[in-house]
Amino acid sequence: MSLESMIIKKYFKQNDQTPFKVIFKDGEVLDMGEGDPKFVINVNGNIDKKLLLSSTSLALGEAYMDKTLDMEVGDLYDALDILLGKLDEFDVDESALSKLIFTSTSKKNQKKEVTSHYDIGNDFYSLWLDETMSYSCAYFKNQDDTLYEAQKNKVEYILKKLQLQEGMTLLDIGCGWGYLLIEAAKKYKIHGVGITLSEQQYLKFKERIKEENLEEYLTAELMDYRDLEKSNLKFDRVVSVGMLEHVGRDNYNLFFKNVDSVLKDQGVFLLHYISGRKEHPGDPWIKKYIFPGGVIPSLREIIDIGSEFNYYTLDVESLRRHYQKTLLCWYSNYKDNIDKISEMFDEKFVRMWELYLASCAASFHNGMIDLHQIVFSKGNNNTLEMTRDHLYK
């Protein structure tokens, strides 16, 4: 019996699980569960055994990328939805993978890590994101909302949580392609600044500001959050959507210190980020191929750090299931455009991103990761809405 076969039996020995089949290159067949298999996996070669024992996810991820593992029947998401339900049981030797898992949190290195993901190319992202170019969790108010409608819902929801008023100033840390600030300026006539480390996003945001004739209201900046403290800028509101995951656990206090330096007293700070149940250094495959240096904060550590800066926690909401649905939309769009993507990148890259989108959707579905929106006030503020009614009007 091969090591791969032993590991599969170790993780998937329950009789009541979703049935699936694994076919090995030597002819061995494993039928897991009872009934017709929902999917069939082919093991076309040997998986790196040393790597399999030091990081199950990295070994399996690389095996899928190079087609050592492949799907014969069924959808990749369905397989991952079952596989990632066992993620807590996967082997991870942090000491052997320390250089991969624990990368430098220096400004220079983190800029390199962030741009390696977001500067792949706007043409690539536009193939599977929606028209708003929003690369973060959407908000599905209705089950039949399109991705575009759900992304518009998300931005509207965030702006309501910020309780904006005309003439206020708003900072977006990690502004992406700028859609949130554009909507804030158009609807509330705020004056906003968006900062990003991605040159591709910065250039596109500047272009969109000009197209919308919002030069009077909005500014895009190529800026590290660490430079806010010396910027002499001040804002009534600060928002950060999907950026905290790139900060690194060692820098959470530094991040809050810089937010605090630009947020006015009694100002509101909305933080939207992928969260973990507990503090964890991150998945080795994701850190090697998708988000170098990425770390998912836990909810409790961010709440705790906020309180140390005298920030009052006004609202906490989980949008986990919304992110699973968002990712399934991206995954579907990606597959629909896979021929175009294959003209842009090699097969290994194409399979890598397919695996990334499907595995993240499965991780949210399994509750391995969550998405939280936290609304803080800087100090005590008795002028804000007392109920959540304003969010649903």
Side-chain angles (χ1 to χ4, degrees):
M1 182 183 297
S2 66
L3 178 61
E4 294 93 332
S5 178
M6 292 172 61
I7 288 175
I8 291 169
K9 287 183 177 180
K10 170 187 172 184
Y11 292 137
F12 304 99
K13 57 188 176 183
Q14 299 95 331
N15 292 324
D16 59 349
Q17 68 183 31
T18 301
F20 66 94
K21 179 180 290 189
V22 183
I23 303 173
F24 294 88
K25 67 171 186 175
D26 62 2
E28 181 186 1
V29 177
L30 285 181
D31 287 298
M32 308 304 295
E34 297 181 356
D36 295 333
K38 189 170 184 179
F39 56 88
V40 177
I41 300 172
N42 282 328
V43 182
N44 300 316
N46 295 320
I47 300 174
D48 186 325
K49 291 178 173 55
K50 183 178 179 181
L51 186 58
L52 199 57
L53 294 173
S54 62
S55 172
T56 308
S57 72
L58 185 55
L60 296 181
E62 290 185 345
Y64 183 80
M65 288 164 61
D66 64 21
K67 298 187 76 171
T68 301
L69 288 179
D70 208 359
M71 298 287 296
E72 179 179 316
V73 176
D75 188 84
L76 178 61
Y77 169 78
D78 293 327
L80 290 167
D81 198 28
I82 294 174
L83 180 67
L84 294 179
K86 306 289 184 179
L87 189 62
D88 284 342
E89 302 173 32
F90 281 11
D91 292 312
V92 180
D93 185 345
E94 292 184 5
S95 61
L97 300 169
S98 60
K99 290 183 179 179
L100 171 63
I101 296 176
F102 304 104
T103 59
S104 169
T105 56
S106 69
K107 180 187 282 189
K108 181 179 179 180
N109 189 60
Q110 288 194 315
K111 178 178 174 60
K112 179 182 176 183
E113 290 175 340
V114 168
T115 55
S116 72
H117 185 91
Y118 295 98
D119 281 350
I120 292 172
N122 293 339
D123 290 343
F124 167 67
Y125 285 105
S126 66
L127 287 173
W128 50 274
L129 296 179
D130 69 292
E131 299 94 313
T132 71
M133 290 292 283
S134 297
Y135 188 24
S136 56
C137 176
Y139 184 66
F140 292 86
K141 290 169 66 173
N142 307 293
Q143 282 298 315
D144 59 352
D145 281 344
T146 65
L147 177 60
Y148 173 68
E149 290 168 337
Q151 290 292 8
K152 287 176 67 70
N153 293 342
K154 184 267 301 292
V155 168
E156 179 183 6
Y157 198 39
I158 286 175
L159 298 182
K160 285 182 177 180
K161 285 187 176 184
L162 287 169
Q163 299 188 40
L164 295 172
Q165 298 176 21
E166 183 173 340
M168 279 186 171
T169 51
L170 171 63
L171 170 67
D172 187 348
I173 304 174
C175 63
W177 291 276
Y179 180 72
L180 185 148
L181 281 173
I182 289 170
E183 288 300 296
K186 288 163 68 174
K187 186 168 185 177
Y188 296 95
K189 292 184 169 55
I190 56 89
H191 294 274
V193 176
I195 67 172
T196 178
L197 291 177
S198 166
E199 187 168 345
Q200 295 268 335
Q201 292 181 338
Y202 163 73
L203 293 173
K204 183 64 176 179
F205 184 22
K206 286 187 68 175
E207 181 183 310
R208 295 173 95 174
I209 291 171
K210 189 173 181 180
E211 289 173 353
E212 298 280 357
N213 297 311
L214 292 172
E215 294 96 330
E216 177 185 350
Y217 294 97
L218 299 179
T219 304
E221 300 285 351
L222 268 176
M223 180 189 289
D224 192 292
Y225 74 88
R226 281 168 270 221
D227 295 327
L228 288 170
E229 191 175 11
K230 58 188 180 184
S231 69
N232 295 317
L233 296 169
K234 288 292 179 182
F235 297 91
D236 299 294
R237 303 287 189 261
V238 175
V239 64
S240 184
V241 178
M243 180 270 178
L244 185 64
E245 300 89 323
H246 300 290
V247 167
R249 185 156 281 116
D250 292 342
N251 285 347
Y252 294 156
N253 276 283
L254 180 61
F255 177 77
F256 266 85
K257 182 181 179 183
N258 275 270
V259 170
D260 190 61
S261 71
V262 296
L263 184 60
K264 297 177 183 178
D265 290 340
Q266 296 195 319
V268 174
F269 173 35
L270 186 146
L271 190 56
H272 168 124
Y273 70 99
I274 299 171
S275 61
R277 295 194 310 274
K278 300 178 181 179
E279 298 73 37
H280 190 271
D283 176 74
W285 184 81
I286 288 286
K287 298 192 83 159
K288 182 173 181 178
Y289 290 104
I290 306 297
F291 288 116
V295 178
I296 298 175
S298 70
L299 178 62
R300 62 187 176 189
E301 65 185 321
I302 299 306
I303 296 290
D304 182 63
I305 292 170
S307 68
E308 293 301 314
F309 280 85
N310 197 33
Y311 279 56
Y312 286 63
T313 304
L314 306 180
D315 190 80
V316 180
E317 184 171 9
S318 166
L319 299 179
R320 176 182 63 83
R321 293 169 67 189
H322 292 267
Y323 214 166
Q324 186 244 359
K325 192 166 181 175
T326 303
L327 279 151
L328 286 178
C329 289
W330 290 344
Y331 177 56
S332 177
N333 290 345
Y334 187 89
K335 290 193 296 180
D336 288 345
N337 287 281
I338 205 158
D339 289 343
K340 294 178 182 177
I341 295 168
S342 296
E343 293 174 0
M344 301 166 68
F345 303 98
D346 63 26
E347 185 178 21
K348 188 173 183 178
F349 177 95
V350 173
R351 291 174 67 86
M352 177 179 77
W353 270 77
E354 179 189 19
L355 180 60
Y356 155 57
L357 294 172
S359 64
C360 285
S363 295
F364 279 105
H365 186 243
N366 276 282
M368 306 306 300
I369 49 179
D370 209 321
L371 187 289
H372 280 101
Q373 281 185 358
I374 310 175
V375 180
F376 295 103
S377 68
K378 181 177 178 177
N380 189 33
N381 187 332
N382 293 321
T383 67
L384 300 170
E385 296 280 357
M386 288 180 64
T387 72
R388 295 173 60 90
D389 290 351
H390 65 288
L391 299 179
Y392 309 112
K393 293 177 181 177

